[in-house]
């Protein structure tokens, strides 16, 4: 069951509250007094000394990231995603709590991420704590930040040990033309879907304004965690579920591609996703979070929005 809550959203394009102003490529703005007022201070460089999401910068992981996207763009097809959704919607892998799943992420490293080389649990808590500081009253957003990447457990043996290209990285629609804003777009020429004429137009097999719910998005941890939350009866608001499902959909919320497929509800939820994205991307740092200190707070949120045990 999903309940509706008041989700009044500060416009990420025009925010007056000095504590909530935003910044970065996706249309965010930030006041000069943001740091002084206690707002989130977005760093200019990542853990490797490069600008964020710079897929051309020479670094130790550049070749690894590019190879990841080559494999992703070749193998993520419409039929593959359909098959994955059918398989994992069964939720028959195991039962465990949200926090138990958080702890499993200590064994996961994301090969697609040029900005992060820390265990995923560190990133989850960094993101959640940064949002908690700036949006203290939006507890659902704190929890959404904590759990948004839990689907990466698909990389582990208990969950099928899927290859990295089927779990992490930016996501994009299938069944319509591949937008040129997609990272390493050149590798789509080897994707079998490129030979289907029905998939080569702007709308493809969809109708304009059909809603993202009706669009096949490349398979990965986003869609899997969305299925887990929805099918287990999470009471997170729709904006929270939207963030979980589309936070890796960078062609949309960073480049503005595929907006023609959105409906009115998507437009409203996208405002929250754009707010979230700043913290998801720019909180990747070497600052450590005291897990035991913050754990009781997040356990209380888990109990509020999720059952004790979930099917995965």
């Amino acid at each position: 069951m999903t309940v509706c809550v008041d989700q009044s959203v500060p416009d990420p394009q025009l925010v007056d509250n000095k504590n909530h102003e935003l910044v970065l490529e996706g249309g965010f703005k930030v006041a000069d007094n943001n740091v002084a007022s206690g707002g989130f201070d977005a760093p200019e460089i990542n853990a490797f000394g490069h600008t964020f999401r710079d897929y051309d910068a020479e670094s130790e992981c550049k070749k690894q990231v590019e190879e990841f996207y080559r494999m992703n763009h070749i193998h993520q097809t419409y039929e593959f995603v359909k098959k994955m959704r059918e398989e994992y919607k069964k939720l028959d892998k195991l039962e465990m709590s949200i926090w138990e799943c958080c702890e499993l992420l200590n064994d996961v490293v994301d090969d697609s991420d040029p900005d992060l080389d820390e265990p995923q649990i560190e990133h989850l808590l960094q993101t959640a704590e940064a949002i908690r500081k700036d949006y203290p009253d939006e507890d659902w957003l704190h929890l959404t930040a904590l759990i948004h990447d839990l689907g990466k457990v698909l990389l582990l043996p208990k969950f099928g040990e899927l290859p990295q290209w089927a779990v992490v990285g930016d996501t994009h629609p299938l069944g319509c033309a591949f937008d040129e804003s997609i990272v390493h777009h050149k590798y789509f020429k080897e994707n079998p879907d490129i030979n289907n004429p029905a998939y080569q137009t702007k709308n493809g097999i969809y109708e304009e304004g059909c809603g993202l719910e009706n669009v096949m998005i490349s398979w990965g941890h986003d869609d899997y965690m969305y299925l887990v939350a929805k099918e287990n009866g999470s009471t997170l608001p729709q904006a929270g579920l939207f963030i979980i499902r589309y936070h890796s959909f960078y062609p949309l919320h960073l480049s503005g591609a595929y907006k023609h497929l959105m409906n009115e509800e998507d437009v409203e939820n996208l405002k929250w996703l754009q707010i979230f994205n700043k913290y998801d991307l720019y909180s990747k740092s070497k600052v450590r979070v005291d897990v035991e200190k913050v754990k009781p707070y997040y356990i209380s949120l888990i109990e509020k929005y999720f059952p004790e045990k979930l099917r995965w």
Side-chain angles (χ1 to χ4, degrees):
M1 179 182 70
T2 301
V3 296
C4 296
V5 299
D6 181 7
Q7 298 170 32
S8 300
V9 185
D11 189 338
Q13 301 293 335
L14 184 61
V15 182
D16 295 325
N17 188 318
K18 65 181 180 180
N19 290 322
H20 290 176
E21 288 183 328
L22 304 175
V23 62
L24 56 108
E25 304 100 312
F28 304 115
K29 300 180 180 180
V30 65
D32 292 337
N33 63 355
N34 184 261
V35 177
S37 65
F40 180 68
D41 180 18
E44 296 181 357
I45 60 174
N46 62 20
F48 301 99
H50 302 292
T51 55
F52 285 86
R53 289 182 60 80
D54 186 347
Y55 292 91
D56 295 319
E58 291 297 333
S59 69
E60 294 180 8
C61 68
K62 177 187 175 183
K63 292 182 179 179
Q64 174 179 288
V65 172
E66 182 165 352
E67 176 59 17
F68 162 84
Y69 277 107
R70 187 183 75 83
M71 296 294 289
N72 176 281
H73 294 350
I74 292 174
H75 298 295
Q76 288 272 4
T77 65
Y78 188 93
E79 288 303 316
F80 170 77
V81 175
K82 183 178 179 181
K83 178 182 177 181
M84 289 295 99
R85 281 187 174 181
E86 292 173 352
E87 170 62 26
Y88 281 93
K89 192 173 182 179
K90 298 174 184 177
L91 301 178
D92 58 358
K93 306 307 177 193
L94 73 160
E95 289 190 5
M96 63 179 172
S97 69
I98 289 288
W99 192 262
E100 287 172 328
C101 189
C102 289
E103 293 178 334
L104 280 181
L105 285 196
N106 283 322
D107 299 325
V108 171
V109 175
D110 183 344
D111 285 350
S112 73
D113 195 336
D115 302 318
L116 188 68
D117 66 346
E118 299 290 341
Q120 294 297 310
I121 187 65
E122 294 280 338
H123 167 52
L124 296 183
L125 287 170
Q126 288 169 353
T127 305
E129 284 294 283
I131 291 177
R132 181 183 176 189
K133 180 179 179 181
D134 286 359
Y135 293 85
D137 298 327
E138 308 293 347
D139 68 353
W140 65 269
L141 190 56
H142 311 163
L143 181 59
T144 298
L146 177 71
I147 70 173
H148 75 281
D149 273 347
L150 292 190
K152 291 181 180 180
V153 293
L154 288 173
L155 293 167
L156 303 177
K158 292 181 179 179
F159 296 85
E161 201 169 11
L162 296 182
Q164 290 262 343
W165 60 261
V167 180
V168 297
D170 293 4
T171 58
H172 56 269
L174 285 306
C176 59
F178 299 118
D179 190 84
E180 291 188 1
S181 66
I182 300 172
V183 174
H184 292 303
H185 178 274
K186 60 186 178 183
Y187 293 117
F188 283 121
K189 63 184 180 182
E190 300 178 60
N191 187 301
D193 283 359
I194 208 76
N195 298 315
N196 188 333
Y199 296 166
Q200 304 315 307
T201 63
K202 181 179 180 179
N203 289 344
I205 62 174
Y206 310 109
E207 294 183 4
E208 187 167 335
C210 65
L212 296 181
E213 170 70 24
N214 299 304
V215 176
M216 191 76 80
I217 304 292
S218 55
W219 175 253
H221 69 282
D222 307 55
D223 212 14
Y224 175 58
M225 187 59 209
Y226 166 77
L227 288 174
V228 170
K230 182 180 179 182
E231 297 301 319
N232 280 282
S234 171
T235 56
L236 281 173
Q238 286 297 325
L241 296 176
F242 186 91
I243 289 170
I244 291 170
R245 193 174 195 182
Y246 300 113
H247 69 270
S248 298
F249 192 2
Y250 278 91
L252 171 68
H253 56 75
L254 186 61
S255 303
Y258 301 107
K259 284 188 174 181
H260 60 285
L261 298 177
M262 297 169 61
N263 58 25
E264 292 182 4
E265 184 177 14
D266 294 331
V267 172
E268 290 303 309
N269 288 332
L270 180 61
K271 295 176 183 178
W272 277 113
L273 176 53
Q274 289 178 316
I275 288 172
F276 168 84
N277 176 253
K278 172 194 171 180
Y279 297 86
D280 183 27
L281 179 61
Y282 288 82
S283 62
K284 298 170 182 177
S285 70
K286 295 297 184 181
V287 178
R288 306 301 293 270
V289 175
D290 187 336
V291 178
E292 292 307 312
K293 182 177 179 180
V294 301
K295 181 178 177 179
Y297 174 70
Y298 290 102
I299 290 294
S300 72
L301 297 188
I302 292 169
E303 293 174 347
K304 179 178 179 179
Y305 290 104
F306 282 91
E308 181 179 357
K309 294 288 185 179
L310 286 74
R311 293 178 296 114
W312 298 79

